[in-house]
Amino acid sequence: LAKTTQPISMDSYEGQEVNITCSHNNIATNDYITWYQQFPSQGPRFIIQGYKTKVTNEVASLFIPADRKSSTLSLPRVSLSDTAVYYCLVGVLNTGGFKTIFGAGTRLFVKA
Amino acid sequence: DADVTQTPRNRITKTGKRIMLECSQTKGHDRMYWYRQDPGLGLRLIYYSFDVKDINKGEISDGYSVSRQAQAKFSLSLESAIPNQTALYFCATRKVAEVNTGELFFGEGSRLTVL
């Protein structure tokens, strides 16, 4: 499984765009990139997933450069309720044995 | 009602006691997982199961055992609890689909304290 590296913490203000970058230098050809969000005392929640280029949904955007050695989760106009831990995961999704390994994540603190 | 339900939500026990954490799901998913979360360490995979009677070890299986007797249920046991097993435990499920997003659905967690 590819190792991921994220910043330990980030601060932002309400209304700003937040970009969290994850490094995964040894990503394999079949690996997908997935991001989860976790609030205190709750289980993580799926945010977005991608393989290459850009993916956007109602919550966030995910930017993946051509070499796929990093990815950036973009949260537009954050609010106080976006204060959470964000995890970047890299892995293979086929039925052969997908195992999800979470790192320490990035703790985002949004201030008023 | 939650799709992935964990019981108990909180438990305090003593060293050496046997503890079982239960997980049940109404999502009809094939795959189920048990994770442990310690402060500042993210989540670590304990065991996972791809189907009934299928059991696979994760990163930190020592001191734990699991049982998958039915598709909807996956239980985690600590045969003889020790203080460093004090943690927040999460159960998760995932559906194997043709277009596989890999999305995990988590329960609300079970906080275990071993004195």
Side-chain angles (χ1 to χ4, degrees):
Chain A
L1 293 170
K3 175 178 166 52
T4 60
T5 303
Q6 306 174 232
I8 294 173
S9 64
M10 295 180 67
D11 288 343
S12 182
Y13 288 93
E14 281 191 295
Q16 290 187 331
E17 178 184 77
V18 171
N19 296 308
I20 305 174
T21 296
C22 179
S23 297
H24 27 81
N25 291 319
N26 60 339
I27 188 169
T29 302
N30 294 333
D31 285 346
Y32 278 71
I33 300 156
T34 310
W35 286 80
Y36 284 80
Q37 174 192 56
Q38 185 181 26
F39 298 113
S41 298
Q42 294 186 24
R45 183 174 68 111
F46 175 92
I47 301 176
I48 198 166
Q49 183 179 83
Y51 183 79
K52 61 181 178 181
T53 63
K54 177 183 175 182
V55 179
T56 297
N57 62 22
E58 65 277 7
V59 176
S61 294
L62 178 60
F63 299 91
I64 305 169
D67 66 6
R68 303 200 326 122
K69 293 184 183 299
S70 66
S71 59
T72 299
L73 173 73
S74 181
L75 305 172
R77 295 187 299 280
V78 294
S79 64
L80 297 176
S81 63
D82 292 316
T83 293
V85 178
Y86 293 83
Y87 296 97
C88 164
L89 289 80
V90 172
V92 180
L93 303 184
N94 63 26
T95 57
F98 175 62
K99 294 185 288 185
T100 308
I101 307 293
F102 288 76
T106 297
R107 188 172 300 275
L108 173 66
F109 185 68
V110 180
K111 295 179 264 190
Chain B
D1 289 340
D3 295 320
V4 183
T5 303
Q6 294 183 227
T7 55
R9 295 291 314 280
N10 288 285
R11 180 73 183 269
I12 300 173
T13 190
K14 294 181 179 179
T15 299
K17 294 291 186 181
R18 182 177 188 274
I19 295 297
M20 179 179 287
L21 305 180
E22 305 268 13
C23 178
S24 63
Q25 52 124 341
T26 58
K27 300 188 77 67
H29 289 173
D30 307 302
R31 303 189 174 192
M32 298 187 73
Y33 304 76
W34 273 105
Y35 288 89
R36 164 181 174 156
Q37 185 168 38
D38 298 278
L41 292 182
L43 283 81
R44 292 182 289 170
L45 181 63
I46 307 172
Y47 272 98
Y48 60 102
S49 169
F50 288 166
D51 203 346
V52 175
K53 301 292 178 71
D54 176 72
I55 301 296
N56 304 280
K57 292 183 178 181
E59 297 177 87
I60 53 164
S61 58
D62 287 348
Y64 302 94
S65 63
V66 291
S67 174
R68 183 93 183 270
Q69 297 295 328
Q71 188 199 43
K73 296 184 184 297
F74 192 37
S75 60
L76 175 72
S77 294
L78 289 67
E79 295 301 325
S80 180
I82 56 177
N84 75 2
Q85 291 178 313
T86 293
L88 184 56
Y89 291 85
F90 287 103
C91 173
T93 71
R94 188 171 77 90
K95 181 177 181 180
V96 177
E98 182 176 346
V99 179
N100 194 342
T101 67
E103 180 176 353
L104 287 163
F105 294 86
F106 283 84
E108 296 171 320
S110 295
R111 186 170 297 279
L112 176 65
T113 302
V114 183
L115 302 176

